[in-house]
Amino acid sequence: MILFILAILLFLIGLYGVLVKRNLIKMIIGLMIMEYAVNLIFTLVGYRSGGTAPIVTDSISSVLYVDPLPQALVLTAIVIGLGTTALAVSFAVRIFEKYDTFDVRKIRKLRG
Amino acid sequence: MNPLLYPIVIPFIAGLLLYVIPRRVKGIHEAAALLVSAGTFGLTVWLFLQKPMEWTTQNSLILRLDDLSAFILLAAGLFGFLIALYSVIYMKDRNQRSMYYGSLLLTLGATCGALMSNHLILLLIFWGFLGITLYLLIQSGGDGAAPAAKKSLIIVGGSDALLLLGIVFIYSLTGTFEMDKILLSFNNGLVTWVFVLLALSAFAKAGSLPLHTWIPDMAMHTPIPATALMPAALDKLLGIYLLGRMVLNLFQMTGAMNLFLMIVGAVTIITAVMMALVQHDLRKLLAYHAVSQVGYMVLGIGTGTVIGIAGGLFHMLNNTLYKTCLFLTGGSVKYRTGSTDLDELGGLARFMPMTFLSFIFAALAISGIPPLNGFVSKWMVYQGLVELGREGDKLWVVWLLAAMFGSGLTLASFMKLTHTVFLGDSAKRAGRKIKEVGFIMWLPTVILAVLCVLFGVFAIQVPLKHFIIPAMGSDIEYIGSWSPGLATVMILIGIGIGFLIYLAGNLKGIREADSFIGGEELDSETRVTGTGFYNTIREMGMFSRIYRWAEDKWFDVYDLGNHLFSGIGGVLSKAHTGVLNLYVFWFVFGLIVLLIVLMGGSL
Amino acid sequence: MNFIPLFVIVPLGAAFLMPVVSRLWKGMSDVLGNLAALFLMVWSFAALQMGHETTVFYAGGWEPVASIPIGIAMVMDGLTVFMLIIINVIGFAVTLYSVNYMNHYTDKAKYYTLFLLMMAGLNGVVLAGDLFNLFVFLEISAIASYSLVAFGIGSEELEASFKYQILGGTASTLILMGIAFFYHMTGTLNLADASTVIQQLGTHPGIIFVSILFLVGFSLKAALIPFHAWLPDAHPSAPAPISAMLSGVVIKVLGVYALIRIFFNVFGITAMPSVLTIFIVLGSVSMVAGAFLAISQSDFKRMLAYSSISQIGYVLFALGLGTPLGILGAMFHLINHAAFKSLLFLNSGAVVYRTNTRDLDQLGGISQKMPVTGITSLLGSLSISGLPPFGGFWSKLIIIMAAVESGHFALAGVAVFTSIVTLAYYMKLQKEAFYGALKASFGKLKEAPFLMSLSVILLAIVVTGMGLLLIPEFKSVILDPAVKIISGGLNYSKLVLGG
């Protein structure tokens, strides 16, 4: 349970970053922290205390093994996260070229 | 196919075809519009003779032609045809002919549909569709018409939304959409809402306060026959038809609802006629009268007495006759002189005798001069008010005074109009060679003027007997000792005596003198027009401020709404500052609120 | 070969082929893109025949064991078919339009690649039978649409896309967190299977927490107020065909469809009636505020974007009523809105293509020079404003009837009021852009190119005839199966798993 709470705390730290930071890159980092926190939660969901790795071997004796599904899903989620992050960072760079700033308060041509 | 469908389907198909035919093809639009509208008129006559008729499909009564709708249908058919005839010449050089004629036929078809619908949803469809054709007709006025078209469709289309809500409420109360099965009594708060919603929708169509403001605006930019078609004739018929239907069939009226109608009617009469009095433009002046006259119909229907309602309906019929005639004669003036500005017109009577004659009869009719039709129906409305007083209503005098005062002011403003346009000195612009309009253009106005006279003189024998009284479902008890035939004879004798006196006084011939002001001769530049006299009213202390407010659109629901909505929208739009953190904050805020709301219950 | 996966495989395959074939011949990307989109449209109509019953496809042949699914499932039922038709018909109109329109931009092949990826993602979302695949497909289409919004790489496009990414990314993480907890609660990700588990669990605080995460995440994708802030930036900045796709399809599939599937079919709306109230509240707030925001805009596409918020509000409002009539109204409005909003965005594209501006103050009178654009946009405006006899009138009528039927008189009044405001701002749009005096600088304006006009004409025909969907013959094929699935609620799991 404590691990869950810590992971959610990590999520909130990420949310804080997105909510408060003015710098584009820092906002992206906040988003990444949120993603990783969620990945962590997902892995924790599949974890069984004292469970073994879910690998089928001949000498399988213990019935208790960690749930393999979340691990597979987290791998996918990490890849998706990579995609979004790469896209966001590349846009941040392009925005810097156009606006000469990373300050989100100055990047507001679109409003109203 | 049921014959009731013909007057709907035929104009619709023809109208849609006309949209597609390019405007380069000469003549076909006019020919088709004329043919179809004449055919529709013929159909309506035939249907009027066949009534009552019904069309039932899938166990529900969809279309129904009863006594109330039959005579209004007949009138709609007549106006459609006359205006199509008039338009042939008037619109011949315009660019938007295919849009104009297509919309005209669609308007005609949809009007017939709305009048015959017994199913409320079908009524709603035709009703709303008329808003679209109105929009297109106004757009056929060219570039300047865009703001007026927008305003008209917002008001008319917006009121359709109200009608929709009213109809849905009716369905939830009664479980049916079929009008013949509906009779609502005011025992439920919702019914009052239904009544108000339906009434507002009727007001917007007919152009009664507070939803009348599209009419003066659109009249300025729309081709005049289109103005004559929609707000002066068909929309008026429809709006009052709905109101009549509500009062006669759909609702069991109560005093409070009647009072509501009478207040609206009386206020409409007075305010609109006051606005009409100070107008400087023929079209705008007529448009305000188109509004003012609706007041009489609403007032008459609001009396709740048989004769009052009959008077209101009869006034609707009469009003469409003379108001269409007035607009068409106005159109003829515009066609020949190119202007409708009162300051630029004058002395047209000698150049355009047929137009002038039609105009003068219609103007006398609208002013309520006996023995013309306007008088008869106003007289019936007054009688309704008197009867209301006999039944113990305290306020009847107020309504009666408002109606009579409005009638007086109508006469006043038509004296101004007649004088400035047709009599008096020729203005510079009118000094050019002006000819009477062609036969095809004056014929419709003359027909209408003749009908105005006939409906007045033979009021009881023809229109009341065949049109109004069957629709009322009960006989009228006349309280005034008014007999149109006798009165006509008396008036004719009076006119004859007057003419003799005139002849006697002028046997020596009259002397024409130049106008002098302080010894100086008045040149044509500084001629006296009728409008000048009426500016006095505008400048009177109390009125001047009200008129100024009215001109600044402080009384216009549309502009008030526009300011209000844009204001709210502006504030909301300011909140979107473009700073991303704020947007994330909204997101988190929403999340937290939902967490509190949903989790709060379970913890 | 089962034909369900083709909805995903074909666009995905075409997307990856695109860079290759475009090297062979320049026009090839147009041909391939349109062929793929045409195939998808035809295929979605072919799927109509299957719409009456639920069909399940298990990837790799992993059939369920003892009624417990173990493989990846793709489920096609009435609602899916309904959404597939929306996606692929609009998708085809948009690709057709893009042939001319995207000449404005440099690299068409990349555009088509991204576009087809987005299509694959959208089709995948509606076909996904389990939550995680739904998420993956959602992210595929989201990433593709982030890139497409910024396709012009102007400063505004980049800004809009960045905001879209940050907000969309936050929502995606919330959804993923929801999925994690969801799995924790139920031990399965298959929607049908989870549905049965949840019924046994009852109203558990954990389930409610998960439902909040999903509600917030998917509401952002659907752009409901207060989660809407990305939409008025992203939708106008995108190239017009993409705006049409985003407003017409993406917000519905990623937002509304996902909400419906999860809340009606998995959680079961009867178990949590408060969610219905939230739908109503979010829906009516979006409806009214979106309309007010739209009326104060002076940018053609931005006005349309706010209008989308308002119209999606109608859909959610109707869904929140929860009655079969309300659901019918919601679905009908959904398909209507897809048609007329895409049409209007494509019209805005034609205007931008010829005049290079979308500022309403600088436009005026252009329907004289561009009659096809003018007339079709008028049809779209009249329909969205709810004037008869167009489709929008019928869906608003049904929604208002449903509101009154379920006793929400005041809210029915609000919906009517909003439709008047809607009429007002669309009339403003028509007046400022298409009617009135032609600006002198537009003297040499020409009608939009042929394929662009063809595409808007096709959509205008659809918009005009949409009311026909209420005729029993059509209704029973397209609308009814979707409504049946939604109002059937938890029957979903039985239909999918059998038995």
Side-chain angles (χ1 to χ4, degrees), chain A residues 18-19 21-22 104 108 111-112, chain B residues 573 576-578 580-581 585:
Chain A
V18 180
L19 193 57
K21 290 296 167 196
R22 308 291 190 195
V104 81
R108 50 190 209 106
R111 61 188 149 186
Chain B
S573 156
H576 293 71
T577 55
L580 184 51
N581 301 107
F585 171 74

Side-chain angles (χ1 to χ4, degrees), chain C residues 261-441:
Chain C
R261 192 57 105 193
I262 288 173
F263 283 98
F264 280 83
N265 290 150
V266 179
F267 287 139
I269 212 75
T270 41
M272 34 178 89
S274 49
V275 171
L276 283 181
T277 319
I278 288 172
F279 278 2
I280 291 186
V281 171
L282 287 179
S284 26
V285 168
S286 307
M287 186 162 85
V288 176
F292 276 130
L293 279 160
I295 206 170
S296 61
Q297 298 305 317
S298 62
D299 179 318
F300 195 147
K301 288 175 83 175
R302 211 173 167 81
M303 185 186 265
L304 294 180
Y306 276 118
S307 160
S308 286
I309 295 177
S310 173
Q311 301 296 318
I312 285 292
Y314 268 102
V315 174
L316 252 278
F317 168 70
L319 272 180
L321 297 170
T323 57
L325 194 64
I327 292 167
L328 174 68
M331 288 298 103
F332 194 25
H333 202 63
L334 197 73
I335 195 167
N336 267 323
H337 181 250
F340 46 59
K341 191 48 68 63
S342 324
L343 170 64
L344 287 165
F345 264 119
L346 294 185
N347 287 140
S348 80
V351 171
V352 174
Y353 188 83
R354 287 300 188 203
T355 66
N356 282 321
T357 179
R358 47 180 220 239
D359 186 349
L360 289 176
D361 298 334
Q362 289 176 28
L363 294 168
I366 52 177
S367 81
Q368 294 168 27
K369 296 285 178 182
M370 303 173 74
V372 174
T373 310
I375 291 167
T376 50
S377 81
L378 181 64
L379 288 174
S381 300
L382 293 175
S383 182
I384 197 170
S385 315
L387 287 174
F390 302 102
F393 164 76
W394 294 102
S395 52
K396 275 184 191 172
L397 177 68
I398 294 176
I399 290 175
I400 290 162
M401 273 178 71
V404 170
E405 184 198 57
S406 56
H408 294 90
F409 295 121
L411 285 172
V414 170
V416 166
F417 170 77
T418 310
S419 98
I420 297 175
V421 180
T422 308
L423 176 67
Y425 64 77
Y426 275 102
M427 283 306 109
K428 175 182 165 185
L429 179 72
Q430 286 296 319
K431 186 203 112 192
E432 310 253 315
F434 293 105
Y435 291 98
L438 186 72
K439 293 274 160 63
S441 52

Side-chain angles (χ1 to χ4, degrees), chain B residues 42-55:
Chain B
L43 270 173
T44 58
V45 174
W46 183 74
L47 286 174
F48 179 78
L49 299 173
Q50 299 288 313
K51 72 174 175 170
M53 290 176 82
E54 289 179 347
W55 182 53

Side-chain angles (χ1 to χ4, degrees), chain A residues 11 15 17-22 24 27 104-105 107-108 110-112, chain B residues 572-574 576-588 591:
Chain A
F11 181 85
L15 192 59
V18 180
L19 193 57
V20 176
K21 290 296 167 196
R22 308 291 190 195
L24 293 189
M27 290 181 88
V104 81
R105 282 168 301 180
I107 305 170
R108 50 190 209 106
L110 298 168
R111 61 188 149 186
Chain B
L572 287 175
S573 156
K574 281 259 161 55
H576 293 71
T577 55
V579 178
L580 184 51
N581 301 107
L582 179 70
Y583 298 164
V584 180
F585 171 74
W586 290 349
F587 176 80
V588 174
L591 175 63

Side-chain angles (χ1 to χ4, degrees), chain B residues 103-430:
Chain B
S103 309
L104 190 147
L105 290 183
L106 287 184
T107 305
L108 191 58
T111 308
C112 294
L115 288 172
M116 289 190 291
S117 302
N118 186 54
H119 197 274
L120 283 170
I121 297 291
L122 195 65
L123 174 74
L124 183 62
I125 293 170
F126 286 124
W127 196 265
F129 190 73
L130 281 165
I132 299 173
T133 60
L134 174 69
Y135 180 78
L136 294 174
L137 275 175
I138 301 176
Q139 292 288 18
S140 70
D143 292 349
K150 172 193 165 203
K151 181 172 178 176
S152 303
L153 186 53
I154 291 175
I155 294 179
V156 173
S159 71
D160 296 340
L162 300 181
L163 182 65
L164 187 153
L165 187 61
I167 286 175
V168 171
F169 280 162
I170 289 182
Y171 184 73
S172 82
L173 285 165
T174 64
T176 177
F177 282 121
E178 288 164 51
M179 278 205 275
D180 60 328
K181 295 192 185 121
I182 295 168
L183 180 63
L184 295 166
S185 51
F186 290 87
N187 49 13
N188 181 336
L190 199 57
V191 180
T192 314
W193 278 101
V194 173
F195 185 83
V196 172
L197 288 169
L198 260 60
L200 279 177
S201 165
F203 290 163
K205 239 341 164 236
S208 169
L209 251 66
L211 299 172
H212 64 290
T213 52
W214 58 278
I215 295 181
D217 277 32
M218 67 82 81
M220 287 304 289
H221 300 287
T222 314
I224 289 180
T227 318
L229 181 72
M230 286 293 265
L234 298 186
D235 275 353
K236 203 120 309 181
L237 291 175
L238 282 166
I240 300 303
Y241 161 74
L242 180 63
L243 209 58
R245 186 62 91 192
M246 284 160 62
V247 171
L248 292 172
N249 298 136
L250 298 184
F251 293 91
Q252 280 180 325
M253 295 300 290
T254 60
M257 290 300 116
N258 280 334
L259 186 66
F260 165 69
L261 289 182
M262 284 195 290
I263 292 173
V264 170
V267 173
T268 303
I269 295 174
I270 298 292
T271 50
V273 82
M274 292 296 284
M275 287 305 291
L277 216 47
V278 297
Q279 296 306 317
H280 279 263
D281 189 283
L282 174 63
R283 285 178 287 182
K284 230 174 179 161
L285 194 149
L286 289 178
Y288 273 110
H289 277 296
V291 175
S292 168
Q293 295 297 312
V294 181
Y296 286 98
M297 308 167 205
V298 177
L299 185 65
I301 290 174
T303 58
T305 57
V306 176
I307 188 156
I309 297 173
L313 290 176
F314 191 30
H315 199 68
M316 163 193 80
L317 194 59
N318 292 336
N319 172 64
T320 47
L321 288 172
Y322 52 65
K323 185 48 60 64
T324 307
C325 179
L326 287 170
F327 268 114
L328 292 184
T329 50
S332 303
V333 168
K334 168 105 189 332
Y335 184 72
R336 281 303 183 203
T337 65
S339 170
T340 53
D341 189 339
L342 292 183
D343 295 328
E344 293 178 2
L345 296 169
L348 292 175
R350 67 194 101 153
F351 305 115
M352 305 173 76
M354 297 311 282
T355 306
F356 172 64
L357 275 178
S358 320
F359 178 87
I360 196 79
F361 275 107
L364 291 175
I366 195 176
S367 313
I369 305 293
L372 296 162
N373 59 355
F375 171 76
V376 183
S377 48
K378 273 185 192 171
W379 182 240
M380 285 169 70
V381 172
Y382 299 160
Q383 281 179 337
L385 290 167
V386 172
E387 191 162 309
L388 197 66
R390 291 208 298 196
E391 285 169 10
D393 188 280
K394 301 276 190 302
L395 287 168
W396 69 281
V397 185
V398 179
W399 313 129
L400 193 59
L401 280 178
M404 288 180 152
F405 184 56
S407 187
L409 290 183
T410 307
L411 179 61
S413 64
F414 273 94
M415 280 173 68
K416 159 184 166 180
L417 196 59
T418 316
H419 176 262
T420 41
V421 177
F422 289 101
L423 306 173
D425 292 333
S426 320
K428 225 177 13 175
R429 197 186 261 273

